[in-house]
Amino acid sequence: MAVQTRTDTFTALRDCFATDLAVLIGDEAPRDFTPNAFIDLVERARDVLGSSSLGNWQDATEDLNRAVGYLTDALTSRDGDQASLLAWARTHLRDGIATVG
């Protein structure tokens, strides 16, 4: 059985959400996708949506902000905590993107 690493999980999150996040901000998904670059993309999307006065975009901003927190914590957490932190990040990314729609 293969062991999934933090980098693998960040890669999976990136593959799942980067294009949608980039579309939200009218940009292309960056090619350099370290975990920090992915967090930067989520932060940029959060900031763009947060500058709007639309209620659903404000709600999405809150979800993306929470996702940033969980992603950042996952970078510095113990290995045992990473899976749950990244799962919470995934939930907030999914909810934030869906809220904008």
Side-chain angles (χ1 to χ4, degrees):
M1 182 172 162
V3 175
Q4 187 173 20
T5 66
R6 175 182 350 173
T7 303
D8 295 336
T9 305
F10 267 92
T11 300
L13 288 173
R14 176 205 66 207
D15 291 348
C16 187
F17 296 109
T19 301
D20 291 336
L21 290 166
V23 166
L24 290 177
I25 60 175
D27 201 356
E28 291 186 26
R31 296 184 192 277
D32 172 25
F33 260 122
T34 63
N36 287 329
F38 180 64
I39 292 170
D40 182 57
L41 176 62
V42 178
E43 288 175 329
R44 286 187 293 135
R46 175 202 62 200
D47 294 346
V48 167
L49 296 174
S51 67
S52 170
S53 61
L54 297 174
N56 60 327
W57 284 27
Q58 292 296 315
D59 293 341
T61 299
E62 292 175 23
D63 275 314
L64 294 180
N65 191 53
R66 288 184 184 107
V68 166
Y70 285 119
L71 291 168
T72 302
D73 289 347
L75 285 178
T76 59
S77 70
R78 298 179 320 205
D79 289 339
D81 296 334
Q82 291 169 357
S84 64
L85 291 168
L86 292 171
W88 278 109
R90 180 187 65 232
T91 298
H92 288 290
L93 287 165
R94 183 185 62 232
D95 291 350
I97 291 168
T99 299
V100 173

